[in-house]
C-alpha cells in the first residue's frame, strides 16, 4: 500500500502516536469501520449503504445568496470561521448564522492566495513554504501561515445587508494533521480567545454518543460536540461527531427554500 499524503498521521500526539500514514488509515478502518474509511480516506461513497438521498446540485444552488463577500444576510447575528491545515496551503471559510440555525458562507479561500481560481492542492504554485521565513521547516511554515491568515480573517470588516457590523466569534482550526503547530498558534496569537483546535470523530451507531461522554472540569458540551482539555496541561479543543454533522447539513441542504 502507498499513501498519497505521507505525513497524514499523528506523530506528535502522545495519546494516539502513529508511525506512518498507512497506520493512520488502518486505525480509521479498525476503529471507525469500512464506511468511514472509504468515505474519509478513499473518497468513495458506498451509496448502497447510505440512508440519505443523494444531493442534487440544483438543491444546493437554490440555497445560495446574492450577497457580496463578507456581507451576511439580514438577520445574521454570529460569524464563525474554520481553517483546514495541509502541508502546502491552508483552506478557510467564514459562515454567518441566524438564531434559527440558518447560515450562509460569506467568504472563503486559501492561504497563501493562489493566482488561479481553479487548481489542485498538489499543484499549488504559492505554498506555505515559499512565503514562510527563510529556514522554516514544515511545522514552522504552517505555524507562520496560520498566524498570518488568522490576523487577516479577524481584521477585515464584516457587515450584514442592512449595515450591521459583525465580528468573528470563534475560529476552529483542524488539529488532526499538525496538532503541535495548531495548539501553539491558539496559545500565541493575540486573538487566541477566539481560536480553538478541533478534531472530528466518526462516531458509529454502536459507539457511545458524544453527548454521553464523561465531562472533565470546565468542559462545555453541545449537540454531538464537546469542548474540553484532551489531557492535563493541554489547551481545550473541540471534538465533534463528523457523521452527525454531515448528516445534519445534508438534510438542511435538501429542505425546500
Amino acid at each position: 500500500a502507498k499513501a498519497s499524503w505521507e505525513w497524514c498521521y499523528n506523530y506528535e500526539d502522545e495519546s494516539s502516536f502513529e508511525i506512518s500514514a498507512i497506520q493512520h488509515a488502518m486505525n480509521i478502518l479498525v476503529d471507525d469501520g469500512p464506511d468511514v474509511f472509504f468515505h474519509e480516506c478513499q473518497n468513495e461513497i458506498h451509496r448502497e449503504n447510505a440512508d440519505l438521498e443523494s444531493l442534487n446540485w440544483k438543491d444546493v444552488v437554490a440555497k445560495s445568496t446574492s450577497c457580496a463577500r463578507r456581507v451576511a444576510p439580514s438577520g445574521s447575528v454570529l460569524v464563525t470561521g474554520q481553517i483546514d491545515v495541509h502541508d502546502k496551503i491552508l483552506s478557510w471559510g467564514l459562515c454567518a448564522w441566524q438564531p434559527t440555525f440558518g447560515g450562509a458562507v460569506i467568504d472563503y479561500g486559501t492561504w497563501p492566495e493562489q493566482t488561479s481560481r481553479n487548481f489542485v492542492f498538489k499543484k499549488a504554485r504559492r505554498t506555505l513554504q515559499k512565503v514562510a521565513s527563510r529556514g522554516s521547516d514544515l511545522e514552522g511554515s504552517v505555524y507562520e501561515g496560520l498566524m498570518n491568515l488568522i490576523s487577516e480573517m479577524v481584521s477585515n470588516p464584516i457587515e450584514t445587508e442592512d449595515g450591521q457590523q459583525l465580528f468573528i466569534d470563534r475560529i476552529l482550526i483542524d488539529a488532526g494533521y499538525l496538532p503541535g503547530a495548531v495548539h501553539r498558534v491558539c496559545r500565541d496569537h493575540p486573538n487566541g480567545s477566539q481560536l480553538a483546535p478541533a478534531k472530528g470523530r466518526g462516531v458509529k451507531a454502536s459507539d457511545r454518543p458524544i453527548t454521553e461522554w464523561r465531562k472533565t472540569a470546565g468542559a462545555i458540551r453541545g449537540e454531538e460536540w464537546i469542548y474540553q482539555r484532551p489531557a492535563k496541561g493541554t489547551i481545550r479543543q473541540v471534538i465533534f461527531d463528523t457523521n452527525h454533522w454531515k448528516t445534519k447539513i445534508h438534510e438542511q441542504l435538501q429542505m425546500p427554500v
Side-chain angles (χ1 to χ4, degrees):
K2 183 178 180 181
S4 59
W5 185 5
E6 63 177 333
W7 290 103
C8 185
Y9 65 96
N10 297 321
Y11 56 84
E12 291 185 320
D13 190 347
E14 293 183 1
S15 63
S16 57
F17 184 78
E18 297 168 331
I19 62 172
S20 70
I22 299 299
Q23 182 190 353
H24 180 69
M26 291 300 100
N27 286 345
I28 294 175
L29 177 61
V30 173
D31 296 340
D32 300 326
D35 285 345
V36 174
F37 171 78
F38 281 105
H39 280 64
E40 298 293 333
C41 299
Q42 302 297 309
N43 199 27
E44 296 179 10
I45 301 175
H46 289 187
R47 301 197 181 279
E48 65 273 17
N49 297 326
D51 295 327
L52 297 173
E53 295 182 8
S54 299
L55 278 175
N56 186 309
W57 67 268
K58 294 180 180 179
D59 294 332
V60 179
V61 171
K63 303 295 191 303
S64 62
T65 72
S66 57
C67 296
R69 282 180 180 261
R70 302 192 80 87
V71 175
S74 298
S76 300
V77 297
L78 186 72
V79 176
T80 59
Q82 67 82 23
I83 302 175
D84 199 14
V85 178
H86 301 271
D87 54 351
K88 291 186 177 181
I89 62 175
L90 309 171
S91 58
W92 62 273
L94 291 176
C95 290
W97 302 98
Q98 298 175 337
T100 57
F101 195 62
V105 177
I106 60 172
D107 204 1
Y108 62 92
T110 64
W111 205 96
E113 188 174 353
Q114 302 300 303
T115 56
S116 173
R117 294 184 62 183
N118 300 312
F119 66 95
V120 293
F121 281 4
K122 290 182 179 180
K123 296 183 179 180
R125 294 186 176 181
R126 300 190 69 228
T127 65
L128 292 164
Q129 291 72 35
K130 288 183 178 179
V131 301
S133 300
R134 188 173 182 179
S136 297
D137 58 9
L138 173 62
E139 184 165 333
S141 63
V142 169
Y143 172 87
E144 187 174 335
L146 284 170
M147 294 289 282
N148 290 326
L149 170 58
I150 292 165
S151 295
E152 289 186 9
M153 292 174 70
V154 300
S155 62
N156 293 325
I158 302 169
E159 291 187 349
T160 63
E161 289 178 298
D162 48 7
Q164 300 297 315
Q165 190 171 12
L166 296 176
F167 299 92
I168 299 175
D169 182 76
R170 185 76 63 175
I171 299 175
L172 298 186
I173 309 173
D174 171 34
Y177 176 36
L178 291 173
V182 172
H183 283 237
R184 278 205 301 140
V185 167
C186 293
R187 291 191 187 98
D188 297 347
H189 198 278
N191 296 89
S193 61
Q194 297 168 256
L195 310 176
K199 294 185 74 172
R201 290 278 183 88
V203 180
K204 299 178 293 184
S206 58
D207 296 332
R208 177 180 294 182
I210 292 179
T211 49
E212 297 179 7
W213 286 9
R214 183 178 63 85
K215 289 174 63 176
T216 60
I220 303 172
R221 184 160 53 199
E223 183 180 340
E224 299 309 328
W225 59 265
I226 192 166
Y227 183 43
Q228 64 180 6
R229 299 180 191 278
K232 188 176 180 180
T234 61
I235 64 174
R236 291 191 295 176
Q237 69 177 11
V238 176
I239 303 291
F240 63 95
D241 180 355
T242 54
N243 293 336
H244 172 84
W245 283 102
K246 285 178 182 179
T247 299
K248 192 177 185 76
I249 293 172
H250 185 112
E251 292 172 342
Q252 293 289 326
L253 287 172
Q254 284 189 316
M255 291 181 64
V257 179

